[in-house]
Amino acid sequence: MKTISKALASRLRSWCHAHSRPGDRPKTPRRGSRRLQLGLGALLLAGSAVPARAATEISYWLWDNNQLAPYQACADAFQKEHPDIKVKLTQLAWNDYWTTLSTGFVSGTAPDVFTNHLSRYPEFVANSQVMEITDFIKRDKVPTDIYYKGLLDLWSKEGHIYGLPKDWDTVAVVYNKDMLDKAGVSVGELNEATWNPKDGGSFEKILARLSVDAGGNDGLSAKFDPKSVKQYGIVFPEIDGYGQSAWAHFAASNGFKFVDGLWATSYHYDAPELAASISWQRDLGLKKGFAIPQKDVGNNASALFVAGKAALTPQGSWMISFFGSNAKFKLGYALLPKGPMGRKTMFNGLADGIWTGTKHPEESWQWVKFLASPGCARIVGASGVVFPAIEEAAKLSQQASTAKGWDVSAFLKEATPDQTFYFPITDHSSEINSLMKAAFEQIFLNEVDAAKVLKEANDAVNALF
């Protein structure tokens, strides 16, 4: 028989009290006692048939379609442990996700729990839209030393924690193996490439060899026509204010630093190291014909790469599944080129946030705690779509990719303290991205003085503080 609920137990005690007398201790069963037993039995049988209390439903949003299946598997596992909580998942495309979420905050229809990004969460903190979970963590004694070093710090401000790390990413160079072979470029050569903003180093020479014009001339030939390119050496992702997979790794390897630390109140977009690296990168497309010009890229860099328009593209580890599923050629992942300051990649990570307007804070916390636990991390890791924030699960992800024939070791080899720098965490992130996106677009689309444009934009950024 099922365990009797507290409400049913209370009803039984009341019934017994009403049908018994103090001091009544019969030595043998009486007819009244028999009726009492029958009544109790009937009540117990009726109680066992009472339906269980309906589960509390909480909503959870995410933007990556590739992650929908593993997180649904996490929800299924969570609901087995918490049958009184039901999780409803919703996936929206990146741009729709943030627009709908912002609208939801204002209208009161935001999800209980949502996947949060470092570029967005400072403004959510400032607007009191994401819940602080420090007390929950302390109450439940949640271990916070199980994540990759530094990830939890990204989700903390002045000792207050707003999310537990769920995954991390670095950037590597995705390559078309057929194009490399045809140009005589080895993967080892690509992994050892160096670059500098003056002559581009060995990396630019590789790009030249991989670039072919309509007449069949590569970029090293005096006959190469940069205005009539059939195959480009590289395509850079869409340019924005932070350049995670587009330009930040080049700039950082040239000595550029966005800020001086977490929650800084000024930026260094006016640094000469940034102007030099951006000018070199811009000229690859505008002048030399080694990169697809940004005016022709838009937000279609990955699609252009899988369509065979370029031999290389720098991209984040969150795109592994996309490339593996859509490329019709043999591809691989190489290390980023080393710059004057060595090899550098942005180290980013996501967390799940709880909306401050949720009507179910305890249930939402239980779900967030599970999302950041080794149990869910192993499920996500086994899918191979991202690298979870817990090391053992990240290794499972690598193994899953290897089993599919994808060598993704470059992303993990770069995930060391000396090769990584953090996504800049400051207030005014949306305004900063808007200002700097416009500045970088102006530079990449026109032959303007990068230093002058960046100085003006940086002044506008720092005026926000």
Side-chain angles (χ1 to χ4, degrees):
M1 182 178 292
K2 297 180 179 178
T3 303
I4 303 173
S5 69
K6 291 182 180 179
L8 181 56
S10 177
R11 289 166 58 196
L12 283 172
R13 285 195 297 271
S14 299
W15 196 94
C16 291
H17 179 76
H19 291 79
S20 62
R21 296 186 300 275
D24 187 7
R25 300 287 190 276
K27 295 181 180 180
T28 57
R30 297 180 181 176
R31 292 182 64 184
S33 298
R34 180 61 175 167
R35 286 195 299 270
L36 174 60
Q37 293 169 357
L38 291 172
L40 283 171
L43 191 54
L44 285 170
L45 288 172
S48 67
V50 173
R53 182 170 61 90
T56 298
E57 182 176 280
I58 59 173
S59 53
Y60 175 56
W61 286 10
L62 69 166
W63 63 75
D64 190 346
N65 183 58
N66 292 318
Q67 297 185 45
L68 184 58
Y71 277 106
Q72 181 60 62
C74 281
D76 294 341
F78 172 78
Q79 287 165 173
K80 288 181 180 179
E81 295 183 10
H82 301 271
D84 56 332
I85 304 174
K86 180 182 178 181
V87 181
K88 181 181 179 182
L89 275 68
T90 299
Q91 182 266 326
L92 298 168
W94 172 264
N95 290 328
D96 292 338
Y97 180 89
W98 297 111
T99 301
T100 309
L101 184 62
S102 297
T103 301
F105 286 148
V106 176
S107 64
T109 57
D112 300 289
V113 180
F114 59 96
T115 304
N116 208 348
H117 193 278
L118 290 173
S119 66
R120 307 282 180 152
Y121 108 92
E123 66 183 85
F124 297 157
V125 172
N127 294 328
S128 300
Q129 293 166 330
V130 60
M131 186 181 296
E132 182 196 350
I133 59 174
T134 316
D135 290 341
F136 279 131
I137 293 171
K138 292 179 179 177
R139 184 197 72 183
D140 293 356
K141 297 180 173 60
V142 177
T144 56
D145 58 352
I146 61 176
Y147 308 112
Y148 272 83
K149 183 178 174 63
L151 285 180
L152 184 64
D153 295 338
L154 300 177
W155 296 97
S156 307
K157 182 179 184 182
E158 299 175 346
H160 304 299
I161 302 173
Y162 295 90
L164 290 172
K166 61 187 295 179
D167 59 29
W168 60 267
D169 48 68
T170 53
V171 175
V173 177
V174 194
Y175 61 80
N176 182 320
K177 185 63 165 56
D178 297 337
M179 291 183 180
L180 259 63
D181 291 344
K182 190 171 182 179
V185 177
S186 70
V187 175
E189 187 179 359
L190 189 56
N191 278 322
E192 294 298 323
T194 61
W195 90 275
N196 65 76
K198 293 181 179 179
D199 62 17
S202 64
F203 186 66
E204 182 171 326
K205 288 183 174 61
I206 289 174
L207 297 183
R209 291 160 61 188
L210 292 169
S211 301
V212 183
D213 68 11
N217 305 299
D218 70 23
L220 294 178
S221 171
K223 297 180 180 180
F224 179 74
D225 182 1
K227 301 298 182 182
S228 181
V229 182
K230 179 176 62 176
Q231 173 187 302
Y232 289 91
I234 195 167
V235 55
F236 296 113
E238 181 182 12
I239 302 299
D240 65 12
Y242 296 109
Q244 180 176 358
S245 53
W247 58 262
H249 36 88
F250 290 115
S253 69
N254 193 40
F256 167 69
K257 289 174 59 178
F258 282 92
V259 291
D260 291 327
L262 296 176
W263 299 100
T265 55
S266 65
Y267 276 74
H268 306 307
Y269 283 113
D270 58 349
E273 294 85 359
L274 175 59
S277 65
I278 287 295
S279 297
W280 166 80
Q281 195 172 344
R282 180 264 316 274
D283 290 347
L284 291 176
L286 269 188
K287 294 181 178 180
K288 299 177 181 178
F290 300 162
I292 299 181
Q294 274 300 309
K295 67 180 180 62
D296 299 324
V297 175
N299 60 356
N300 299 312
S302 298
L304 290 168
F305 174 75
V306 297
K309 302 299 182 181
L312 309 176
T313 187
Q315 260 298 356
S317 52
W318 63 90
M319 293 292 288
I320 290 171
S321 182
F322 170 83
F323 288 121
S325 302
N326 290 279
K328 305 304 180 185
F329 48 82
K330 185 176 181 180
L331 59 78
Y333 302 92
L335 300 171
L336 289 167
K338 291 181 180 179
M341 303 301 293
R343 181 179 292 113
K344 302 293 181 182
T345 175
M346 187 178 284
F347 191 57
N348 188 20
L350 304 180
D352 292 300
I354 301 175
W355 176 38
T356 50
T358 178
K359 296 179 180 179
H360 311 292
E362 180 62 38
E363 291 85 353
S364 296
W365 159 245
Q366 293 301 328
W367 172 232
V368 164
K369 181 170 65 171
F370 185 80
L371 284 167
S373 71
C376 181
R378 283 191 288 267
I379 292 173
V380 175
S383 72
V385 296
V386 290
F387 295 120
I390 299 172
E391 187 172 2
E392 62 164 310
K395 291 180 179 178
L396 287 177
S397 182
Q398 182 182 12
Q399 293 169 8
S401 292
T402 301
K404 297 175 183 176
W406 310 336
D407 180 3
V408 298
S409 59
F411 294 106
L412 287 96
K413 289 177 180 177
E414 292 176 349
T416 61
D418 62 318
Q419 297 182 106
T420 55
F421 60 95
Y422 293 136
F423 190 101
I425 308 298
T426 69
D427 289 324
H428 308 295
S429 54
S430 291
E431 298 99 316
I432 291 168
N433 186 49
S434 179
L435 285 168
M436 294 313 303
K437 179 179 172 64
F440 284 118
E441 286 179 344
Q442 184 180 352
I443 294 169
F444 272 89
L445 297 177
N446 306 282
E447 293 185 36
V448 296
D449 184 343
K452 182 176 182 296
V453 173
L454 290 172
K455 173 65 169 62
E456 293 172 352
N458 192 67
D459 288 345
V461 165
N462 289 339
L464 295 171
F465 296 93

